[in-house]
Amino acid sequence: MGAMLVLVPGLVVDHDLAGASVAAQDRLKAVNDVRTTLLQAVGGMVVLFGAYATWRQLRVSQDGLRATQEGYITDRFSSAVDQLGSDKLETRIGGLHALWRIAEHSARDREAIISILAAYLRTHLPWPPAGPGAPPADAPINDITPLEARIADAQVALTGLGVLLEQPREQAWVNLGVTDLRRADCDGLWLPEVNLDWSCMEGASLYRVNLSQASLVEVNLRHADLKTAILRRARCVLADLRGARLVQSDLREADFTDSDLREANLRKADAGGAVFHRADLRLADLRGADLSTADLFQARLTGAMASGHTRWPAGFDHEAAGVVVAEDPGPEPPPLLQPSGITTRHPSLRSLS
């Protein structure tokens, strides 16, 4: 470096002068100008090298921090999974909350945690119920304790699952089939494309739940509260919806083929494009419902209640089908979120055989 700054400037000036005679003062000024230029170039190179070294150090630090974070998440994940096997309820609940929190911050682990929560529900809440503490399958719904009081950890797993499914996901279907979700609290949860086939959700609270494109084949939804729920394109074939509350629900393009909807409350429901092939709608409340583009092929409507605001398919004779025209109920009262069936007493179904 010293040789470059002492010798090179003079050589450069002599080369440029090509043997021409100049005053010593002018030559010295030219040498100093070249030296200044070289110093600026060297300084720039030093700055660039320092910036590159800093960037490399930052990358190394970031990689180390990422590896540390991954290791920390892995440790938390393993610890939370271990907690799920504890005999203590509070430990299991803590493990479920830990998994829920990890899934919210780590998109990489979200799918695995969703699968774990679904498996936890399937194994702890099988249908028909198994185990000494589970209420029998034929127990009256009013004698069954709400899920959050009966199996608190299962309710936590269900809530966490319904919250996590609202976030962007790589996979679609989640399997919750053949589970015992009687009197479960699903208010406001996001459960699209969830498989609930052959599950029992009798008396469940499903206010404003999103069940778009869910599979509900032969599911038991008797007395379930589905007010303002979204069941768009849901597959409800052979479902038992007797006494279910579907007020102002979005039922567009849902398939209710062979379903039992006796005494169901479908007031002001939007059933545009819904399929009710051979569905049993006797004694159902259809006042204000939009059935203008619904498929009512062989649907049974004897004793169903309608009003002047009920919209029927073109050419459909609802009076010949046995529909009773009654006064419109008017505006629906504002929805009030209540505890999931803790104090609710469901009336006996007249259609219960």
Side-chain angles (χ1 to χ4, degrees):
M1 182 68 68
M4 183 180 68
L5 294 177
V6 173
L7 300 177
V8 171
L11 296 175
V12 171
V13 171
D14 291 341
H15 178 272
D16 290 344
L17 290 176
S21 177
V22 295
Q25 184 177 359
D26 293 337
R27 184 179 183 281
L28 179 60
K29 182 178 182 301
V31 169
N32 288 333
D33 290 342
V34 172
R35 186 174 290 119
T36 300
T37 303
L38 289 174
L39 285 172
Q40 290 175 345
V42 170
M45 293 176 62
V46 170
V47 171
L48 289 175
F49 180 77
Y52 173 76
T54 303
W55 175 77
R56 287 291 303 171
Q57 183 63 36
L58 181 61
R59 287 292 301 272
V60 171
S61 299
Q62 288 177 338
D63 292 342
L65 178 60
R66 189 177 297 110
T68 302
Q69 290 176 337
E70 289 292 337
Y72 177 62
I73 291 175
T74 300
D75 292 341
R76 289 176 59 199
F77 187 95
S78 300
S79 177
V81 172
D82 289 340
Q83 287 179 293
L84 299 185
S86 174
D87 294 332
K88 296 181 179 180
L89 174 63
E90 58 272 17
T91 303
R92 297 196 301 272
I93 291 177
L96 290 166
H97 277 290
L99 287 175
W100 184 351
R101 185 173 180 83
I102 292 170
E104 287 181 333
H105 292 87
S106 176
R108 183 177 180 179
D109 299 299
R110 189 172 301 143
E111 291 298 330
I113 291 174
I114 288 174
S115 298
I116 289 172
L117 295 179
Y120 190 87
L121 288 168
R122 292 196 307 271
T123 55
H124 285 72
L125 296 172
W127 181 260
D138 57 353
I141 189 60
N142 290 322
D143 295 340
I144 296 176
T145 307
L147 183 61
E148 60 184 340
R150 186 171 78 249
I151 311 178
D153 52 333
Q155 180 62 64
V156 171
L158 179 61
T159 303
L161 187 64
V163 173
L164 294 177
L165 289 178
E166 190 173 358
Q167 301 182 21
R169 302 179 55 234
E170 297 177 359
Q171 301 178 7
W173 283 96
V174 175
N175 184 16
L176 285 181
V178 202
T179 54
D180 182 5
L181 296 174
R182 288 175 291 178
R183 303 198 84 160
D185 182 4
C186 304
D187 289 343
L189 296 185
W190 194 274
L191 300 171
E193 299 183 343
V194 171
N195 176 16
L196 287 160
D197 294 347
W198 301 291
S199 294
C200 184
M201 304 181 74
E202 186 175 4
S205 183
L206 296 153
Y207 168 76
R208 198 169 282 184
V209 68
N210 188 334
L211 286 164
S212 299
Q213 301 186 66
S215 184
L216 301 162
V217 176
E218 291 193 54
V219 69
N220 182 349
L221 282 162
R222 285 198 300 262
H223 295 295
D225 187 356
L226 289 145
K227 184 175 182 181
T228 67
I230 302 173
L231 284 87
R232 190 169 185 180
R233 296 181 182 175
R235 191 164 180 256
C236 303
V237 177
L238 295 167
D240 187 350
L241 287 149
R242 283 177 287 178
R245 196 162 180 254
L246 294 152
V247 178
Q248 296 180 317
S249 294
D250 184 354
L251 309 178
R252 288 175 292 174
E253 302 179 61
D255 187 357
F256 293 96
T257 300
D258 293 313
S259 291
D260 193 343
L261 289 145
R262 285 176 289 176
E263 301 183 62
N265 187 345
L266 285 82
R267 276 203 314 267
K268 297 181 174 62
D270 185 354
V275 177
F276 293 96
H277 285 182
R278 299 177 299 277
D280 195 341
L281 287 157
R282 290 176 293 175
L283 304 175
D285 190 345
L286 304 173
R287 290 178 291 177
D290 184 0
L291 299 163
S292 56
T293 56
D295 189 344
L296 297 172
F297 177 73
Q298 293 184 353
R300 287 175 285 179
L301 291 157
T302 304
M305 189 183 304
S307 69
H309 292 88
T310 303
R311 299 177 61 187
W312 300 100
F316 183 80
D317 190 349
H318 58 277
E319 292 184 355
V323 175
V324 178
V325 179
E327 185 179 353
D328 193 85
E332 294 294 327
L336 296 175
L337 285 176
Q338 298 176 353
S340 58
I342 292 178
T343 58
T344 303
R345 302 293 296 179
H346 299 287
S348 299
L349 294 170
R350 290 174 289 170
S351 56
L352 190 61
S353 56

